[in-house]
Amino acid sequence: MSKAFKIGVIIDSFLKPTFREGLESAAKVGAEGIQVYAVRGEMAPWNLNKEQRAEKRKMVEDFGLKISALCGDLGGHGFMNKEENPERIEKSKQIVDLALELGTNIITTHIGVVPEDKNDDTYKIILEACSELAEYANSVGAYFAIETGPETAVVLREFLDQLPGKGVAVNFDPANLVMCVDGVPERDVKTLGDYIVHTHAKDGIMVKGKDPAKVQEVLDACGYGDTDFTNLPWIELPLGCGHVDFPKYLKALKETGFDGFLTIERETGPDPFKDIEMAVKFLKEQMANL
């Protein structure tokens, strides 16, 4: 019986100095695919000629891997600044073109915080930028996948429904929803279901507004009991340690029809290789029970 999902990893999480070393680490932990930042350094489209792009693609294939997506997050406030958007949109289109040359049609990104009020000027600015991105992606068969988290799943769904086609889609990050908006991944994945083209496998807990004793209980159980969370809004944790209910979440994700990548992202911790290796094992165990 085939697995419900494929396992990937953001190779930048390994904190290796080169693309090749990141690929080596991904292969060692048993990942099937990789995601890589394409906004800086050796993987940015403006730093790669045609021959170099072909070399990068072959390098991935030689390790027996596939690129699940490129990360096209340009940082800052996403597409909330009207004056900056023309340049950001042009760079985003270049990342799309690179993605297609490397064998993937998915580019994940943050667009900023979508306001709940559709009459808010910022809402209109983001909508205008994303409409242009959607049209470009539609024209080449690609997807700009918005990473979940800054707004609720309901607000994001209503925003997406106003865009042309499905060129702007969703990179579902269950931990971001838990940590940032106190979301419930197994519920939210159903809200966004037909827009989901990629996911991040991440875990964590919201701290702000929560009972400190219950937060401490979670940290103690995961071996993070000495963490000072006094001024933290959230804490990212290894898979299975936080408040993402993976059995319920993955079951709901499968029910949407999604069969793509669970791409592991580890943004903190002293030993990312160990945490990612454990995450691969954790996900395989979870899928065996689906």
Side-chain angles (χ1 to χ4, degrees), residues 11 17 23 26 34 54 99 104 113 125 145 149 153 157 159 173-174 178 183 198 200 209 216 254 261 274 276:
I11 59 172
L23 293 177
I34 62 108
T104 184
V113 183
I125 290 169
R157 173 77 198 213
F159 177 83
D173 188 315
V178 165
H198 192 263
H200 280 167
Q216 190 65 59
K254 183 180 179 182
F261 277 91
K274 179 183 176 182
I276 293 168

Side-chain angles (χ1 to χ4, degrees), residues 50-123:
K50 189 173 182 63
E51 291 73 23
Q52 291 169 324
R53 295 174 186 217
E55 288 172 3
K56 298 294 186 187
R57 180 166 181 167
K58 185 177 184 305
M59 194 185 300
V60 174
E61 293 168 353
D62 286 347
F63 276 98
L65 298 165
K66 178 182 178 180
I67 296 180
S68 67
L70 293 186
C71 182
D73 181 8
L74 296 167
H77 300 286
F79 297 95
M80 299 171 69
N81 187 313
K82 189 175 181 66
E83 287 69 34
E84 294 178 0
N85 281 351
E87 180 182 356
R88 285 173 171 262
I89 290 169
E90 177 55 34
K91 284 186 174 181
S92 296
K93 291 177 180 179
Q94 291 180 45
I95 295 171
V96 171
D97 296 340
L98 173 63
L100 294 172
E101 289 188 62
L102 294 178
T104 184
N105 64 346
I106 299 172
I107 303 87
T108 70
T109 189
H110 287 274
I111 61 170
V113 183
V114 178
E116 292 186 25
D117 182 3
K118 294 182 177 64
N119 293 314
D120 188 298
D121 287 342
T122 299
Y123 191 102

